[in-house]
């Protein structure tokens, strides 16, 4: 097969050279209006084409590669005595898999426990390419199932305006839990 980044022949969807040359994650920080920090691993322009595979069969493999390079690496280096629970934002399966569940799954370590199917949007309107006003007028209306754990890491693939993560934080805090920070693959404000 060919590497989808450089089109060289490879044994994987993305060759090892491209993984180290083009997909080495950095850590970018942004703060939501509610004071919660978002840590992102890539600038949007760096992985934009890869993100377009999200709702395709290929997307499963691409998101798994990106999760191993960023989320898994972060989790291995995140050493604290405090125990955390990570929740994927709206990890509903579309096209046979959930991209946020893939990211969340790669956080599993001795101090981070990924939970699944806990935070679901009841409003399934697509936010893709929409304005902040549209997002504010069409809230996600999250449903949060009960779970154990008080220190929460929210997981999503892209942060654009921050509306989805802000709404998710509000829902989690309604259950007297604390969102410690959010993790995303990319921040659309980083070009």
């Amino acid at each position: 097969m060919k590497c989808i980044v450089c089109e060289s022949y490879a044994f994987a969807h993305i060759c090892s050279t491209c993984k180290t040359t083009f997909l080495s994650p950095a850590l970018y920080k942004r703060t939501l209006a509610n004071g919660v920090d978002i840590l992102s691993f890539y600038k949007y322009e760096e992985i934009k084409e890869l993100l377009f595979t999200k709702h395709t069969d290929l997307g499963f493999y691409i998101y798994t590669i990106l999760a191993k390079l960023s989320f898994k690496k972060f989790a291995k280096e995140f050493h604290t005595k405090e125990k955390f629970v990570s929740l994927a934002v709206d990890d509903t399966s579309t096209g046979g898999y959930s991209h946020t569940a893939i990211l969340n799954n790669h956080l599993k370590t001795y101090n981070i426990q990924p939970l699944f199917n806990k935070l679901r949007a009841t409003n399934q309107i697509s936010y893709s390419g929409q304005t902040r006003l549209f997002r504010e007028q069409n809230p996600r209306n999250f449903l949060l199932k009960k779970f154990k754990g008080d220190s929460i890491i929210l997981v999503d693939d892209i942060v654009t305006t921050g509306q989805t993560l802000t709404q998710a934080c509000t829902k989690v805090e309604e259950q007297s839990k604390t969102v410690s920070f959010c993790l995303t693959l990319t921040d659309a404000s980083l070009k």
Side-chain angles (χ1 to χ4, degrees), residues 8 10 39 44-45 54 66 71-72 82 97 99 107 110-111 113 127 130 132 136 149 154 164 171 184 191:
S8 296
L39 302 176
Y44 181 74
E45 291 298 321
K54 180 178 0 186
L66 290 172
F71 282 71
K72 188 171 189 164
E82 186 177 0
Y97 71 96
H99 55 284
L107 286 175
Y110 73 94
N111 62 331
Q113 178 188 5
Y127 277 7
Q130 298 295 338
R132 176 182 291 276
E136 289 171 354
L154 290 179
T164 297
K171 183 51 79 172
T184 67
K191 302 292 182 192

Side-chain angles (χ1 to χ4, degrees), residues 29 44 49 84 91 113 117 140 158 161:
K29 182 179 165 188
Y44 181 74
E49 299 300 321
F84 292 85
D91 56 354
Q113 178 188 5
N117 302 314
R140 289 283 187 211
I158 304 171
T161 65

Side-chain angles (χ1 to χ4, degrees), residues 15-191:
C15 70
S16 57
T17 301
C18 287
K19 286 178 188 175
T20 56
T21 306
F22 301 115
L23 296 176
S24 290
L27 206 55
Y28 303 97
K29 182 179 165 188
R30 174 175 165 185
T31 304
L32 291 169
N34 63 5
V36 175
D37 289 333
I38 305 168
L39 302 176
S40 301
F41 299 103
Y42 298 100
K43 292 180 179 179
Y44 181 74
E45 291 298 321
E46 293 173 335
I47 62 169
K48 175 174 68 173
E49 299 300 321
L50 300 176
L51 296 173
F52 293 154
T53 67
K54 180 178 0 186
H55 298 297
T56 68
D57 292 341
L58 179 60
F60 171 82
Y61 300 102
I62 300 307
Y63 269 75
T64 299
I65 291 167
L66 290 172
K68 286 178 182 177
L69 293 172
S70 57
F71 282 71
K72 188 171 189 164
K73 182 180 176 186
F74 174 86
K76 282 184 177 181
E77 296 173 3
F78 184 66
H79 301 290
T80 67
K81 291 181 181 178
E82 186 177 0
K83 301 291 184 186
F84 292 85
V85 168
S86 60
L87 301 176
V89 174
D90 198 26
D91 56 354
T92 305
S93 281
T94 54
Y97 71 96
S98 165
H99 55 284
T100 56
I102 290 171
L103 301 174
N104 192 29
N105 189 50
H106 283 83
L107 286 175
K108 185 174 184 175
T109 56
Y110 73 94
N111 62 331
I112 303 174
Q113 178 188 5
L115 298 180
F116 303 93
N117 302 314
K118 298 295 183 190
L119 183 63
R120 292 288 179 92
T122 59
N123 179 353
Q124 295 299 320
I125 292 175
S126 174
Y127 277 7
S128 181
Q130 298 295 338
T131 64
R132 176 182 291 276
L133 180 61
F134 178 86
R135 294 165 190 248
E136 289 171 354
Q137 292 173 343
N138 296 281
R140 289 283 187 211
N141 297 327
F142 284 108
L143 174 67
L144 181 66
K145 296 179 184 175
K146 293 195 183 290
F147 61 92
K148 292 182 180 179
D150 293 322
S151 297
I152 314 303
I153 300 169
L154 290 179
V155 174
D156 206 352
D157 61 336
I158 304 171
V159 58
T160 50
T161 65
Q163 288 296 310
T164 297
L165 289 171
T166 299
Q167 291 171 34
C169 287
T170 300
K171 183 51 79 172
V172 168
E173 290 165 356
E174 285 174 5
Q175 287 194 9
S176 300
K177 297 180 185 289
T178 302
V179 175
S180 300
F181 58 92
C182 304
L183 285 176
T184 67
L185 270 178
T186 185
D187 183 336
S189 71
L190 300 170
K191 302 292 182 192

